Amino acid sequence: IGVELLENMAIFELLRDADGCVCGARGICKGEEQIIYCRSLILATGGAGAVFQRNVTPNTQNGDGWAMAYACGCSFVNMEFFQIGPAIATASGMKYIIHSHMWSLMPIMRNGQGKQFLHSYCPTEVQPEEAVRLKAMSYPFSVRTDAKYVDIAIFREIMAGRNTPNGGVWFDVTHAGKARLAKVQPITYEHLLHAGIDLAREPVELTLAVQNFNGGVQIDENGFTGVRGLYAAGEVTGGVHGSDRPGGNNLTDTQVFGHRAGRSAAQYAAGLNNAAKPIRSSQAKLRAENDRAVQDEIAKVFYKNLTIVRNATGLKNTLAFIEEASGLDPSQAVQNRLIVGRLIAQAALTRAESRGTHYREDYPKTDAAWNRRIVLNKASSTREN
């Protein structure tokens, strides 16, 4: 297989032989359908940030790996847990997160109407200034601390339509001055300055963007998915992280399980006499003319109902939306996004509590009875362990 083909190929479907073993993949390369045969295959496709309206991930991370694994019968764990955090909102679609240390500058936040709003979302026992200070301790949204009120407030203002021109809120640290900005956050300050944004002179638009997924395909200690011939490593997998993820753990995850999955896949392939041929393929159209419009609608629905603030009504509406869209003969690319949304929505609806990155406004407390994992797969209903 040529390196150019692999680098430019978007894969949408895994192929299996008569025994159900993975033996290839089907996708598109430069507009043409391609099929690759193999003895074993490793999924390392990352997460699914691109299926959400706001994200800081590459556009190629659209959950195709999850959807392919789901179709093959893999199980999924911790799908309700993924990380979302503050990021720049610009007309150019710039993807840049606002790290924790920026919050130590005690930014002033205003909505699109020019009004400060954080105090409206903090309970009486929580001072807005304290919530902002706690935000400086951790970038992603989590219910572990009262920093959660910062993210909830931003999200609520955006969803209420009181947003800035580019769909965010105003984040103002001009009071810190150039010298302090350059000292506290030199990389962020210089990077944005080169992009035409001077934090020392003007506020910037801030939104909330999907960043990293803690859940995914369930694997064993060697990266095996439970489906013969199929292995996985990295963000596409679940179970390594829990409801939260300490910063930097993803690097260790990819190195350890990348090595183990590669070794195991090679050993499996070496034990086969010949590469098997698939007995069937769905032959679903890989792309359709209206894909972009449909994907944009999916991205809006998923962002509204599956990110910061979740509740039973929004989750059920999302599942109904997915069911309706699935009946319209969508392309494989769209089907894959719908599968991703169904896995997340079902897991989030099942977990009737708030924990880590999962916040249910109708179940705002953490419940010790839910100290267990939710496992989903195609063959059976939701189960917990």
Side-chain angles (χ1 to χ4, degrees), residues 189-361:
Y189 179 66
E190 290 296 329
H191 182 85
L192 294 181
L193 195 61
H194 285 303
I197 301 171
D198 189 348
L199 293 175
R201 298 173 61 88
E202 60 187 344
V204 66
E205 292 179 75
L206 190 76
T207 188
L208 293 164
V210 175
Q211 181 211 19
N212 181 84
F213 290 82
N214 293 1
V217 180
Q218 191 171 30
I219 58 172
D220 68 9
E221 68 275 15
N222 293 308
F224 178 53
T225 65
V227 175
R228 284 183 295 170
L230 183 60
Y231 300 80
E235 193 181 356
V236 73
T237 66
V240 177
H241 314 291
S243 62
D244 277 311
R245 175 186 65 90
N249 271 21
N250 267 7
L251 178 60
T252 305
D253 174 13
T254 57
Q255 299 301 297
V256 171
F257 289 95
H259 171 74
R260 292 183 178 184
R263 180 184 59 195
S264 299
Q267 291 172 345
Y268 173 85
L272 299 177
N273 293 324
N274 295 295
K277 294 293 181 70
I279 60 167
R280 60 186 178 278
S281 169
S282 71
Q283 296 302 322
K285 54 184 182 292
L286 296 180
R287 291 192 188 279
E289 290 183 4
N290 67 336
D291 269 7
R292 177 43 55 194
V294 176
Q295 289 173 13
D296 286 346
E297 182 64 20
I298 291 171
K300 291 177 183 177
V301 172
F302 287 4
Y303 185 79
K304 177 182 178 182
N305 295 328
L306 302 182
T307 56
I308 295 290
V309 178
R310 301 167 176 175
N311 55 56
T313 299
L315 295 170
K316 289 177 181 178
N317 286 344
T318 301
L319 290 170
F321 166 81
I322 291 170
E323 191 67 27
E324 180 180 357
S326 298
L328 300 177
D329 190 28
S331 68
Q332 191 70 55
V334 169
Q335 285 184 45
N336 286 358
R337 290 170 183 253
L338 296 175
I339 289 171
V340 169
R342 183 182 294 113
L343 286 167
I344 295 172
Q346 188 60 60
L349 184 61
T350 301
R351 184 171 290 278
E353 65 153 359
S354 292
R355 181 185 297 268
T357 61
H358 169 68
Y359 172 61
R360 284 283 299 268
E361 65 173 349

Side-chain angles (χ1 to χ4, degrees), residues 13 27 38 53 101 122 124 137 155 158 163-164 175 184 225 244 250 260 286 301 328 358 360 374:
E13 181 187 18
C38 60
Q53 187 178 25
H101 291 308
C122 292
T124 54
M137 303 294 289
F155 184 78
I158 294 172
N163 51 273
T164 57
H175 55 273
V184 174
T225 65
D244 277 311
N250 267 7
R260 292 183 178 184
L286 296 180
V301 172
L328 300 177
H358 169 68
R360 284 283 299 268
I374 294 171

